[in-house]
Amino acid sequence: MSAAAFQSSKADPGVLARGVPLRGGVPVNGLRSTPVPRSAVADPDGARALVTSIIHRIEGYLDEETEALDKSFKFDFKASNDRKSQGLLDLNQALRRLQPADINGDLQLRLTVFREKLAVNLRKIRLHLDAVKEISAMLSDAIQNAESDGTYTRSINPYRNSP
């Protein structure tokens, strides 16, 4: 980057450090801008509101996934995982805008409730994965028993104790 481009990016908040101009807060080339450093945030109330809104959005994803784990087998877990991952990335970036002194009792309570929802979701996912492991072990045994008399085959089940 040239010195002039570097100086213009420092002087103009509408330009990224790489000299890529922003259009409406979004880089023209589609790349994300770098997160705002802690010292640059002057509005802790706005930062807390942003954190709260992101937590609310992620909780919606968690509720949807937890309900789907209880009731439905037709659920796109990859898309749900992608949404949760993006939400957690957004939350981490938003939390960086807050100083430890900016976290008040309301936000602390909101974060505690959020952790509890994450724990419930984690338990449901673990239960689901354990069920999938059991089903795959049963299918593995059935395939092995159907195709062989067991004389020369090794177990294809990764969860069985080896002799």
Side-chain angles (χ1 to χ4, degrees):
M1 176 187 305
S2 70
F6 181 73
Q7 289 299 327
S8 71
S9 69
K10 284 178 63 178
D12 183 9
V15 175
L16 285 176
R18 286 178 243 149
V20 180
L22 296 174
R23 180 178 28 197
V26 177
V28 174
N29 64 356
L31 298 175
R32 289 182 168 211
S33 61
T34 57
V36 177
R38 287 184 181 204
S39 60
V41 177
D43 182 19
D45 291 332
R48 279 192 296 269
L50 177 64
V51 168
T52 303
S53 70
I54 292 171
I55 288 173
H56 181 71
R57 179 172 43 115
I58 297 171
E59 283 178 340
Y61 301 154
L62 293 173
D63 291 341
E64 179 185 346
E65 184 177 81
T66 302
E67 184 178 326
L69 286 168
D70 285 339
K71 296 181 180 178
S72 174
F73 292 111
K74 295 181 180 182
F75 184 73
D76 189 359
F77 288 103
K78 181 177 181 344
S80 177
N81 189 47
D82 291 345
R83 286 192 312 249
K84 289 188 307 182
S85 295
Q86 182 63 49
L88 290 174
L89 176 69
D90 294 343
L91 180 61
N92 280 332
Q93 290 178 350
L95 285 171
R96 286 186 191 130
R97 295 173 182 225
L98 289 174
Q99 296 292 332
D102 295 337
I103 298 176
N104 61 12
D106 291 339
L107 184 57
Q108 188 65 40
L109 178 65
R110 194 77 172 111
L111 288 168
T112 302
V113 170
F114 179 62
R115 281 188 199 106
E116 291 170 1
K117 280 195 176 197
L118 282 172
V120 168
N121 184 259
L122 178 63
R123 283 194 300 273
K124 297 279 184 175
I125 289 173
R126 282 187 177 155
L127 226 104
H128 183 78
L129 288 175
D130 288 344
V132 169
K133 285 179 186 177
E134 286 184 36
I135 291 170
S136 66
M138 291 179 357
L139 288 173
S140 171
D141 287 343
I143 291 170
Q144 189 175 23
N145 291 336
E147 292 183 352
S148 167
D149 64 359
T151 306
Y152 298 108
T153 60
R154 212 171 66 181
S155 173
I156 59 174
N157 184 352
Y159 303 104
R160 191 183 286 170
N161 293 337
S162 59

